[in-house]
Amino acid sequence: MGSVLEVRIAKRTGFCYGVREAIDKAKESAAAGKATHTLGQVVHNEGVISQLQQIGVRSVDTLDDVDHGAAVVIRAHGVKPEVFDRAEARGLEVIDGTCTWVIQEQRQLEELVEEGYTIVLLGTPKHPEVVGLLGFAPDAIVVDEEEDWDRIPRRKRMALITQSTQPPWKFEKLAAFMVSRAHELRIMNTVCPVTIRRQEDTLETAREVDLMVVVGGRHSANTKELTRLCGIVGTPAMQIENARDLVDPTPF
Amino acid sequence: MGSVLEVRIAKRTGFCYGVREAIDKAKESAAAGKATHTLGQVVHNEGVISQLQQIGVRSVDTLDDVDHGAAVVIRAHGVKPEVFDRAEARGLEVIDGTCTWVIQEQRQLEELVEEGYTIVLLGTPKHPEVVGLLGFAPDAIVVDEEEDWDRIPRRKRMALITQSTQPPWKFEKLAAFMVSRAHELRIMNTVCPVTIRRQEDTLETAREVDLMVVVGGRHSANTKELTRLCGIVGTPAMQIENARDLVDPTPF
């Protein structure tokens, strides 16, 4: 204990611009004196959530919990198009915080559906981004881990697209797997560039240090992937949500 | 020597239907009394070539060697579209023996060019099929072995297509490699199904026997690949062109 000489921070850390923008939009709305809610937690981070609560921004699970006339922030993950319709029907002010990257994904899905492709979506089935995406391509086949992939049929024309935060190596592996399942395979590489850069920076830092502390949501696939990457380069890593989790002094 | 108890033949061997059709077309034309030539050897097989010569079908290297009014057979590999124009201008009768699979490839290349994709073609640069395909997509980037792949640029929209007789594993590996080079990657799996079946049958037979004799053109990439596959399952294999090459009795 007490042997830590230097603490290095990976080059690019913290929230991506998509999440930051959604938070900012919620804050601006509240600052303008509007009753403001977020549909789901805008980010799984206690500090930010309590900050927002202090200025009156409450997270709701459903539009039914928002009063007529109040503002509701759609978080970066995006939602099904029906949600916008329902919000309008209920007279709510919608503040769209959908990440530009996710909006592009949604548009591409619509295009692929229109062009008649059998669509495979790599993603975590219940993840809000995936639930939202399925609003644009209800027949898309969602697959996650490799044991799922056998469910992918053989079709003449198939398309592959991914939830933005899936690891790039998994997406590439699935693409190679699908090459022999279709005569024409159209791949939309919708892995978020910020996610990729975080992973690159994690690998770079992990190679230089003796121990990595990965800070993020306990159940966040992103955070778990960063922890896993440290293991790949052979650097011990501990995953925490906040400073309170640092209870064991021995690794330091 | 003399210890061979059983000889097994892989399930599907011999010429593919594309090559057989081109040979048949040349024979029919000669049988109908027309002066008939093939543009290049219709198949790299001495027996077939000498059979064709006996009925007067001679292989020529260029259209200039064909007399006005005579027939010229385009072999299964296909040719650049200019060749058809030149043949017409010289008053030749063109008998198109282009494999239906290659015709499909050519059409797909035309479409991809029209849609503005940066096209990568997996193939052997001087192979006649590749030379012909480049007539439909002159700007396509031809890559072969893995050390070539670094030449592939990063572009927003890229397409990948392959010479029909490339090994499927190489095509899948290149597809995975290209996933991170483009935002949208359109993959046309033009690996010939007959080639794939030959490879599957070779693997199946190789697993059951003590020695494989692979018969085919010495320089044929297809034949070399079949020999390589035997090695992968650990069965010794010898590659020959014809019975005369069986000079060493010891393996038997």
Side-chain angles (χ1 to χ4, degrees):
Chain A
M1 192 186 165
S3 63
V4 176
L5 296 179
E6 195 188 344
V7 174
R8 292 199 190 170
I9 299 174
K11 211 184 323 173
R12 285 157 291 195
T13 59
F15 303 142
C16 64
Y17 54 73
V19 165
R20 260 187 285 124
E21 210 171 284
I23 297 170
D24 289 348
K25 282 179 173 171
K27 285 182 178 171
E28 279 163 30
S29 169
K34 279 182 229 162
T36 306
H37 302 272
T38 64
L39 187 57
Q41 289 200 335
V42 75
V43 61
H44 301 299
N45 178 291
E46 289 176 29
V48 174
I49 297 298
S50 85
Q51 242 185 42
L52 287 172
Q53 277 172 344
Q54 278 162 28
I55 57 169
V57 178
R58 197 164 49 85
S59 139
V60 293
D61 288 334
T62 144
L63 292 178
D64 299 332
D65 299 333
V66 183
D67 291 336
H68 182 93
V72 63
V73 177
I74 305 298
R75 58 186 168 173
H77 298 314
V79 292
K80 295 179 182 223
E82 296 91 271
V83 174
F84 286 91
D85 300 340
R86 264 194 291 137
E88 201 186 347
R90 280 182 45 78
L92 308 182
E93 182 193 341
V94 175
I95 299 171
D96 191 1
T98 309
C99 164
T100 50
W101 200 250
V102 174
I103 291 176
Q104 200 189 340
E105 255 175 60
Q106 295 173 342
R107 287 205 189 124
Q108 284 173 337
L109 268 175
E110 277 182 311
E111 249 182 66
L112 292 170
V113 168
E114 211 165 284
E115 295 182 31
Y117 288 91
T118 298
I119 301 168
V120 172
L121 169 59
L122 174 66
T124 310
K126 304 273 178 208
H127 191 283
E129 181 183 324
V130 172
V131 173
L133 289 173
L134 285 174
F136 295 85
D139 297 330
I141 301 156
V142 180
V143 296
D144 190 356
E145 299 304 329
E146 217 164 326
E147 56 263 28
D148 277 1
W149 299 356
D150 275 338
R151 286 197 294 113
I152 299 171
R154 287 175 199 279
R155 291 284 183 277
K156 199 170 174 209
R157 296 169 78 232
M158 296 192 85
L160 172 63
I161 195 163
T162 177
Q163 174 188 346
S164 60
T165 50
Q166 285 287 317
W169 61 265
K170 208 206 262 183
F171 184 59
E172 285 166 33
K173 202 168 177 187
L174 177 55
F177 174 83
M178 281 185 63
V179 166
S180 58
R181 298 246 153 178
H183 172 65
E184 181 196 337
L185 176 61
R186 198 153 170 188
I187 300 174
M188 299 298 186
N189 189 344
T190 47
V191 178
C192 159
V194 176
T195 302
I196 295 176
R197 267 180 240 123
R198 294 277 188 284
Q199 294 178 357
E200 287 168 354
D201 291 354
T202 300
L203 281 169
E204 199 185 312
T205 309
R207 283 200 188 92
E208 296 169 351
V209 301
D210 303 313
L211 173 72
M212 286 287 280
V213 179
V214 182
V215 189
R218 208 179 307 279
H219 304 294
S220 152
N222 274 331
T223 312
K224 281 188 217 163
E225 179 63 18
L226 295 180
T227 310
R228 199 188 69 87
L229 288 175
C230 300
I232 285 177
V233 296
T235 305
M238 55 199 305
Q239 186 180 317
I240 62 170
E241 269 198 345
N242 51 44
R244 284 200 307 277
D245 294 336
L246 290 174
V247 286
D248 179 9
T250 44
F252 303 94
Chain B
M1 192 185 163
S3 63
V4 177
L5 295 178
E6 195 188 343
V7 174
R8 292 199 191 169
I9 299 173
K11 213 186 316 174
R12 286 156 291 193
T13 57
F15 303 141
C16 65
Y17 54 74
V19 165
R20 260 188 285 124
E21 209 171 283
I23 297 170
D24 289 348
K25 282 179 175 173
K27 285 183 179 169
E28 278 165 29
S29 169
K34 279 183 229 160
T36 306
H37 302 273
T38 63
L39 187 58
Q41 289 200 336
V42 74
V43 60
H44 301 300
N45 177 292
E46 289 175 28
V48 174
I49 297 298
S50 85
Q51 242 184 43
L52 287 173
Q53 275 170 347
Q54 278 163 27
I55 57 167
V57 178
R58 197 164 51 86
S59 137
V60 293
D61 288 333
T62 145
L63 293 178
D64 300 333
D65 298 333
V66 183
D67 292 337
H68 183 93
V72 62
V73 178
I74 304 299
R75 59 187 168 173
H77 297 315
V79 291
K80 295 178 184 225
E82 296 91 271
V83 173
F84 285 90
D85 300 340
R86 265 195 290 136
E88 202 187 345
R90 281 183 45 78
L92 309 181
E93 183 194 339
V94 175
I95 300 172
D96 191 1
T98 309
C99 163
T100 48
W101 199 250
V102 174
I103 290 176
Q104 202 188 339
E105 254 175 61
Q106 295 172 343
R107 287 203 190 124
Q108 284 173 335
L109 268 175
E110 276 183 311
E111 248 182 68
L112 293 170
V113 168
E114 210 164 286
E115 295 182 32
Y117 287 92
T118 298
I119 301 168
V120 172
L121 168 58
L122 175 65
T124 311
K126 304 275 177 203
H127 190 285
E129 181 182 326
V130 173
V131 173
L133 289 174
L134 286 174
F136 295 85
D139 296 330
I141 300 157
V142 181
V143 295
D144 189 356
E145 300 303 329
E146 218 163 326
E147 55 263 27
D148 278 1
W149 299 356
D150 275 338
R151 286 196 295 114
I152 299 171
R154 287 174 198 279
R155 292 283 183 277
K156 198 167 175 210
R157 297 169 77 231
M158 297 191 84
L160 172 63
I161 195 164
T162 177
Q163 174 188 346
S164 60
T165 50
Q166 285 286 318
W169 60 265
K170 208 206 262 184
F171 183 60
E172 284 165 35
K173 202 167 176 187
L174 177 54
F177 174 82
M178 282 184 62
V179 166
S180 58
R181 298 245 153 179
H183 173 64
E184 180 196 338
L185 176 61
R186 197 153 170 188
I187 298 175
M188 299 298 186
N189 189 346
T190 48
V191 178
C192 159
V194 176
T195 302
I196 296 176
R197 268 180 241 122
R198 295 277 188 282
Q199 294 178 357
E200 286 168 356
D201 291 353
T202 300
L203 281 169
E204 200 184 312
T205 309
R207 282 199 189 92
E208 296 169 351
V209 301
D210 303 312
L211 173 72
M212 285 288 279
V213 179
V214 182
V215 189
R218 209 179 305 279
H219 304 295
S220 151
N222 273 332
T223 313
K224 281 188 217 163
E225 179 63 17
L226 295 180
T227 310
R228 198 189 69 87
L229 289 175
C230 300
I232 285 176
V233 295
T235 305
M238 54 199 307
Q239 187 181 317
I240 63 170
E241 269 199 344
N242 52 44
R244 284 199 308 277
D245 294 336
L246 289 174
V247 286
D248 178 9
T250 44
F252 302 97

